[in-house]
Amino acid sequence: MLFAGDTVASVRGVTFGVFHVDRALALESMRRLAELDPSVLCCGHGAPVVTDTAALLRAAATAGEVPV
């Protein structure tokens, strides 16, 4: 079980949170959280994610990346 706070949101699927001062660092944190392979994800906003949690978290981290 992972408590991600505002790093991740689960309001409309699993998404990158919006309250970040340093977006690049926050995305790195999200990628590291995904590496933990959680079975349950509890976010600061939205319902707990209990199905395909790690895969959804990895996909959200990839989708949030900013091209350099």
Side-chain angles (χ1 to χ4, degrees), residues 5 11-13 18-20 23-24 26-27 31 33-35 46-48 51-52 55 57-58 64 66:
V11 177
R12 293 185 179 148
V18 296
F19 303 109
H20 304 294
R23 184 175 174 88
L27 277 169
R31 283 190 290 274
L33 291 173
E35 291 174 2
T51 305
D52 298 324
L57 189 54
R58 280 191 292 276
V66 178

Side-chain angles (χ1 to χ4, degrees), residues 14-16 27 30 34 52-65:
V14 176
T15 60
F16 181 63
L27 277 169
M30 191 170 171
D52 298 324
T53 305
L56 291 170
L57 189 54
R58 280 191 292 276
T62 300
E65 291 176 356

Side-chain angles (χ1 to χ4, degrees), residues 1-11 13-20 26 29-30 33 36 38 40-49 57:
M1 180 173 289
L2 173 65
F3 291 90
D6 287 336
T7 303
V8 186
S10 60
V11 177
V14 176
T15 60
F16 181 63
V18 296
F19 303 109
H20 304 294
S29 294
M30 191 170 171
L33 291 173
L36 297 173
V40 177
L41 172 65
C42 299
C43 304
H45 301 277
V49 179
L57 189 54

